[in-house]
Amino acid sequence: MSRDVHRDSMKKLSHSNSDDDLRRQPTAIRIHSKPTSHGAEDISYGVRDDGSSISSSNEYVPSSSYLNSSAALTGTTRGYLPDRQHVMAMSEQQTNIVHTYDLSLPIKLLPGEEDVKLKEDITYRAHNRPAPYRGELIVTKYRLMFVTKPPDSIQVLVDVPLGMISQIEKIGGQARSNINDGAAYGIEINCKDLRHFFFGNAKEQNQRRNLLDQLTRLVFPFSISKADNSNAFQFFNSFFALDYKRKFCINGLDEGWTLYNKMKDYTRMGIQQNSDPHWTINAEINKNYALCDTYPDIIVLPSSFDSTRLQRVADFRSRNRIPVLSWYSRETYATITRSSQPLTGLANRTCDDDIELLRKIADANVNQGFKLVILDARPKVNAMANMANGGGYEDYPNCELEFHNIQNIHVMRESLRKLHAAVRNAAHEDKTWFSDLENSNWLFHIRAILTAAIRLVSLVHNEKRSVLVHCSDGWDRTAQLTSLAMLMLDAHYRTLNGYMILIEKEWISFGHKFFLRIGHGDKSDSERSPVFLQFLDCTFQLLQQFPSAFEFNEKLLITIADNLYSCQYGTFLLNSDKWRTDMKVSEHTMSAWTPILRERALYLNPFYAERSDNVLIPNNSSRHIKLWKNYYCRYMPGYRSTLDVLTQRYTTLLNLRKKFTDEINHIRQDGDQQPRLLSGTLYQSPMTTTSTNISAQSKSNVTQASATFMT
C-alpha cells in the first residue's frame, strides 16, 4: 500500500472523548497518529513506570479504552501487536480525527497545526498559585498547550513549541504503593529556553506512563526511530516546518532562501572572480561536495596554490576541512581563514602540501606576509589530548600559534544547565542567585569567547596580519570566532540583512551541526551544546556597548534564538550545505529569514548611525559582560522584560524620524522651486521661513519623543 493511501487511512482513527470515559479510564487520548519510519513492526514502547523496558514485540500491553500511540497505530484492543496486514486492516476501519477548530481554543494557531495529536485532562501547577489548575493538555504538530477549565476562566497558561522541549521526566514515586496522597506525582517538562512545567497525573491506570510514552513519540520522534536522511518527505514530516510551508507558502521559493549569495558576498569584499591576483573563487574543487561534504560548494583559495594538491591537504585535516577564506580586507590584504585541526597524531606527522597552502595564505597578504598566525580556539591541554585520537595542532616554522581557552561542547552544555538551574531557583529563593550565576560559569565562557574574538580583530586590524582559525573539527568554536570578528571588523554584517547573511555564511554553509547541537527530535543530549546561542549572546554584548553601530535591535536576536528551537522553519534544521541540498530544504520548508524580511521594521534600531563603519573593539572586562536577562530571565515569575517596551519606543522613534525626513525633503523641493529674487529686491527664501517654523516644531516633537523614550 502506498504511503499516501496509508496516511489517508490513518486519518480514520477515532476514540471516545466522553467525560464518563475520561473518569473511568484517565489515560491519554491519542487522537491522531502515524507510523514510524520503519513501520509498525519496529515500534518501541518506551519504558514502564517502574523503569523496566517494554521491548519485545510479543509482550503484553495493558488494555485501555483509550489506546496508547502504539495501539492507536495498530488498532490493538487485546494488548498484542498484530502483524502488518492486520495493522492495515484495522487502521482502515477507523473514522475521523479531531481538529483544533472543534475545540474553540482561546489562542490564534498557525497555518498547518489544525490536527490535534494529543488531548488529556490533567492538572498544572503554577508558581504563583498554591492549588493546581485543572484543564486539558493539548498537543498539535507545532505546540504543547495547557488550557484551563471552569471554574477557572478559560485561558492558555502553557504554550510552548514542541521543538523547544528539552526533557520530559517523571516526578514522584515509581510504584503506586509508595505514593503519598500529598506527594507530587506527574510529569515535568524542561525547555531549551529555560522554561519548565509540572503537570499532575492521576495515580492509577498507568496514566503517567502512557502520557510519557505519547509525548516522547511526538516530541522526540528520532528517539523512537532513527532519522532517515535519504527520504526528504519522511524526514521533514517529523517537523512542523513541512506543514507550515504547505499552508503558508504553497508555491515558489520564499525570499529568505535567496538572501545569501556566495559569489556576491565574496565579490563585495573585493575579490574579483577569475581576475584576482591573490585569491580565487573556486566553484569546481568542491562541486557536488566532492572534496568536503561539510563545506559549501563554493570556496575561496590562494590563487598561487596548485589545486591538484588539495586532496592531500584534505586528507591531513579533520573531516577534510581544509583552510579556506572567510574574510578579506581590500585595504590591507589581511585575511581570516578557517579550517579544522591537522591530523598530526602522537607521531607528530606533517604534510608538505598543508604547509605550502598555509605559506600561500600568508604570502597573499602582501603587507604582512611571511608568518601566518594560527589561532587555536581550544585550551592547549585539550589540543594535546586530541593527539591521542589522531588530531593535534600545527608546529610549523612559518607560523605563529596561539591557544585560547574556549571549552568544548560538553562543558558549555553543563554551564547552560547550571544557568537554567540558577534561574529556576531564583524564582523560588533569590538569596543564592549571584553565587549560582557565578558557579554556572556562563558569563565566564561568554567573556572567553569575546576575548579570543577581540584578539583576532586586533591581529587583523591593528597588526594587519592574516590569521587561520580552527578548533577541533572547525564547526563550533571556529564559527564563533570568525563570525564575531567579522561582525566587529565589517559594518556590512552589522546591518539587518548583513547579520542574516553572516549567519548563513559562517554557520549554515560552513557546516555547524544544528541538527545535533540543538537536538531536534531526539531526547539524547550527548551532542547538544549552546554554541550558536553563545554567538547570539556575544552579539547582545556588542549591542550593549555599541548601541548605534547596529541596524538591528535585540528583538532580532531573541527571534532568531526562538526560531532556532521551534522547528517552524527549515533554516536551522540540518547540519550542512550538502544535506540541505540533498533534502531540498527550500522546497519543503520556509526560511527563518522570510518573516523578518517581511516585517523588518520590528527589528530596526532607531539609534543606528548608518555611516558608522568603525571597527568595534568591545571592553571585555568582567563588569562589562552582562547577563542577557530579556532572554534568559523572561519567563522568571515577577521579571518584567523591557523588550516590548523598547520595541514600542523604537517604532515611535522610527516613525518620527521618517516623518521628519519626509518634511525636510518636502521643504527642500519647495525651496528649489521658489525664486529668491524678485524685481531686483532680495526676498527671504520661503525655505528659510518654513524651515524656521518646521525646526521649532521638530525640536518640540523630538523633545517629546525623547521624554517618552526615557520614561
Side-chain angles (χ1 to χ4, degrees):
M1 183 178 295
S2 69
R3 177 180 297 275
D4 291 337
V5 173
H6 182 63
R7 187 170 63 252
D8 291 338
S9 69
M10 299 309 296
K11 291 183 178 180
K12 299 178 181 179
L13 292 171
S14 67
H15 303 291
S16 171
N17 294 332
S18 68
D19 292 339
D20 291 338
D21 286 337
L22 280 172
R23 286 191 293 268
R24 186 174 63 252
Q25 298 278 5
T27 53
I29 307 168
R30 182 62 178 244
I31 297 177
H32 179 53
S33 62
K34 61 180 185 300
T36 64
S37 61
H38 300 292
E41 293 176 347
D42 296 319
I43 290 174
S44 168
Y45 282 90
V47 295
R48 297 182 187 272
D49 241 8
D50 60 4
S52 62
S53 299
I54 303 177
S55 57
S56 172
S57 61
N58 295 321
E59 189 166 356
Y60 177 77
V61 181
S63 62
S64 169
S65 61
Y66 296 108
L67 309 177
N68 63 24
S69 57
S70 305
L73 174 63
T74 60
T76 302
T77 57
R78 297 184 179 179
Y80 293 92
L81 187 68
D83 58 28
R84 184 179 297 273
Q85 293 180 349
H86 190 199
V87 170
M88 293 299 183
M90 292 296 294
S91 64
E92 289 176 355
Q93 296 175 11
Q94 307 302 322
T95 56
N96 57 359
I97 62 174
V98 171
H99 296 275
T100 51
Y101 52 72
D102 294 328
L103 303 178
S104 301
L105 297 173
I107 187 174
K108 184 177 181 181
L109 301 176
L110 295 173
E113 59 171 332
E114 290 81 8
D115 294 341
V116 174
K117 305 294 182 181
L118 178 68
K119 179 173 175 286
E120 179 176 344
D121 284 347
I122 206 167
T123 62
Y124 167 61
R125 294 192 178 184
H127 174 265
N128 57 354
R129 172 169 158 156
Y133 288 95
R134 291 192 171 275
E136 290 182 318
L137 187 71
I138 299 174
V139 181
T140 68
K141 186 69 174 288
Y142 173 66
R143 74 184 85 205
L144 178 148
M145 296 174 284
F146 176 80
V147 184
T148 57
K149 282 185 172 183
D152 294 309
S153 59
I154 305 300
Q155 56 182 319
V156 176
L157 295 183
V158 174
D159 179 9
V160 57
L162 299 186
M164 198 74 74
I165 297 175
S166 173
Q167 190 177 36
I168 307 173
E169 292 183 306
K170 294 182 292 185
I171 301 296
Q174 297 301 307
R176 286 189 293 276
S177 59
N178 297 329
I179 300 172
N180 297 322
D181 291 337
Y185 181 83
I187 287 178
E188 184 177 68
I189 293 178
N190 293 306
C191 300
K192 298 168 186 175
D193 61 356
L194 279 65
R195 282 183 283 179
H196 62 277
F197 310 102
F198 177 78
F199 299 103
N201 292 99
K203 300 175 184 178
E204 64 273 350
Q205 299 295 337
N206 292 323
Q207 182 191 25
R208 183 174 69 170
R209 193 200 72 182
N210 293 335
L211 177 61
L212 180 66
D213 179 64
Q214 294 178 70
L215 284 177
T216 299
R217 294 177 185 279
L218 292 170
V219 177
F220 306 121
F222 300 135
S223 294
I224 307 300
S225 59
K226 186 177 180 181
D228 185 357
N229 300 343
S230 63
N231 188 320
F233 175 82
Q234 185 172 322
F235 177 83
F236 288 120
N237 195 45
S238 299
F239 301 106
F240 175 66
L242 178 67
D243 303 76
Y244 189 65
K245 166 77 172 181
R246 286 174 168 178
K247 293 287 185 176
F248 197 77
C249 184
I250 302 175
N251 300 317
L253 200 68
D254 52 290
E255 58 267 35
W257 292 120
T258 60
L259 175 66
Y260 173 51
N261 182 293
K262 300 182 183 75
M263 287 288 190
K264 186 176 180 180
D265 191 64
Y266 285 123
T267 55
R268 181 199 62 82
M269 296 179 191
I271 300 173
Q272 302 302 317
Q273 188 177 2
N274 301 324
S275 61
D276 193 279
H278 306 294
W279 295 93
T280 298
I281 303 176
N282 195 317
E284 295 298 325
I285 193 66
N286 203 35
K287 188 176 181 180
N288 297 323
Y289 310 97
L291 182 69
C292 177
D293 60 2
T294 61
Y295 265 7
D297 56 349
I298 297 175
I299 55 179
V300 179
L301 297 161
S303 301
S304 57
F305 187 76
D306 183 2
S307 60
T308 61
R309 306 173 67 178
L310 285 173
Q311 185 59 59
R312 291 190 291 272
V313 178
D315 294 338
F316 185 68
R317 290 279 170 175
S318 177
R319 312 287 183 173
N320 289 8
R321 295 172 68 89
I322 64 175
V324 295
L325 184 76
S326 279
W327 188 80
Y328 170 78
S329 171
R330 70 176 75 196
E331 289 82 16
T332 67
Y333 302 101
T335 61
I336 297 175
T337 49
R338 62 181 295 171
S339 72
S340 61
Q341 65 180 338
L343 301 178
T344 58
L346 293 174
N348 201 22
R349 294 184 295 270
T350 60
C351 174
D352 292 339
D353 302 285
D354 188 69
I355 295 173
E356 179 65 12
L357 176 56
L358 297 193
R359 189 178 71 81
K360 294 296 184 181
I361 291 174
D363 291 344
N365 184 345
V366 296
N367 292 326
Q368 297 285 336
F370 191 56
K371 281 195 173 184
L372 179 72
V373 179
I374 300 176
L375 196 156
D376 193 324
R378 303 168 294 179
K380 185 174 181 179
V381 65
N382 292 19
M384 295 177 67
N386 276 346
M387 296 177 70
N389 295 322
Y393 54 89
E394 299 87 349
D395 187 14
Y396 297 167
N398 62 332
C399 297
E400 295 178 9
L401 178 62
E402 295 184 6
F403 291 98
H404 288 263
N405 294 315
I406 302 176
Q407 299 297 325
N408 62 32
I409 62 170
H410 311 292
V411 174
M412 298 306 189
R413 179 177 64 247
E414 178 63 14
S415 179
L416 183 63
R417 188 195 65 78
K418 290 181 178 179
L419 177 62
H420 188 169
V423 171
R424 180 174 178 174
N425 292 337
H428 303 280
E429 178 59 64
D430 61 358
K431 291 182 180 179
T432 61
W433 163 246
F434 291 106
S435 60
D436 289 345
L437 176 61
E438 183 178 2
N439 291 335
S440 74
N441 283 327
W442 183 257
L443 296 181
F444 172 83
H445 295 311
I446 295 298
R447 182 170 179 258
I449 296 168
L450 280 173
T451 299
I454 292 169
R455 174 58 177 162
L456 175 54
V457 170
S458 178
L459 287 168
V460 172
H461 177 68
N462 296 333
E463 301 182 29
K464 300 177 176 55
R465 305 285 298 276
S466 291
V467 184
L468 170 66
V469 183
H470 71 70
C471 47
S472 295
D473 291 320
W475 49 44
D476 290 318
R477 290 166 281 192
T478 300
Q480 288 177 331
L481 298 187
T482 58
S483 55
L484 284 171
M486 292 161 67
L487 195 62
M488 298 180 203
L489 287 165
D490 196 332
H492 170 70
Y493 297 119
R494 300 196 289 267
T495 64
L496 179 60
N497 284 22
Y499 189 71
M500 294 185 285
I501 289 172
L502 177 65
I503 293 173
E504 282 279 348
K505 180 177 184 293
E506 289 300 299
W507 290 88
I508 296 174
S509 72
F510 271 103
H512 178 65
K513 301 197 295 184
F514 282 102
F515 180 71
L516 295 177
R517 294 293 179 260
I518 306 306
H520 291 310
D522 194 346
K523 64 182 178 182
S524 172
D525 66 353
S526 61
E527 287 288 326
R528 290 186 196 172
S529 190
V531 178
F532 184 74
L533 179 63
Q534 289 179 320
F535 164 69
L536 296 177
D537 196 323
C538 289
T539 304
F540 165 77
Q541 307 297 332
L542 295 175
L543 276 172
Q544 300 307 295
Q545 296 193 32
F546 303 97
S548 63
F550 294 85
E551 186 185 25
F552 55 87
N553 56 33
E554 183 185 359
K555 184 178 179 65
L556 175 71
L557 302 181
I558 293 179
T559 299
I560 293 174
D562 287 342
N563 288 340
L564 183 66
Y565 302 118
S566 70
C567 299
Q568 184 177 351
Y569 305 99
T571 303
F572 304 114
L573 285 184
L574 306 178
N575 285 343
S576 65
D577 224 24
K578 180 182 185 300
W579 196 5
R580 292 178 185 89
T581 301
D582 292 345
M583 300 288 276
K584 300 179 180 179
V585 65
S586 60
E587 295 181 15
H588 292 93
T589 68
M590 284 184 63
S591 167
W593 312 132
T594 299
I596 295 174
L597 292 171
R598 293 177 181 179
E599 299 182 285
R600 59 182 296 117
L602 293 175
Y603 308 100
L604 294 178
N605 173 17
F607 305 112
Y608 173 59
E610 191 169 348
R611 297 180 182 178
S612 176
D613 56 356
N614 297 329
V615 173
L616 308 182
I617 305 292
N619 189 325
N620 65 331
S621 65
S622 298
R623 66 188 185 92
H624 284 88
I625 306 301
K626 309 293 184 183
L627 181 67
W628 188 9
K629 291 183 179 180
N630 280 343
Y631 180 74
Y632 301 116
C633 302
R634 56 182 166 161
Y635 298 114
M636 183 186 295
Y639 177 74
R640 297 183 61 184
S641 173
T642 61
L643 187 64
D644 292 337
V645 176
L646 288 175
T647 300
Q648 184 178 359
R649 291 173 179 176
Y650 286 167
T651 302
T652 301
L653 289 175
L654 286 167
N655 291 336
L656 284 173
R657 185 171 71 177
K658 183 178 184 303
K659 178 182 177 182
F660 298 155
T661 302
D662 292 343
E663 288 178 350
I664 291 172
N665 291 336
H666 181 69
I667 292 167
R668 286 173 177 168
Q669 292 176 1
D670 289 346
D672 292 340
Q673 295 173 2
Q674 295 292 335
R676 298 192 179 196
L677 292 174
L678 292 176
S679 303
T681 305
L682 181 63
Y683 280 82
Q684 185 181 25
S685 169
M687 181 177 178
T688 305
T689 305
T690 310
S691 295
T692 302
N693 296 334
I694 292 296
S695 178
Q697 182 64 36
S698 297
K699 288 180 180 179
S700 175
N701 290 341
V702 170
T703 302
Q704 182 180 358
S706 300
T708 301
F709 183 78
M710 296 303 293
T711 55

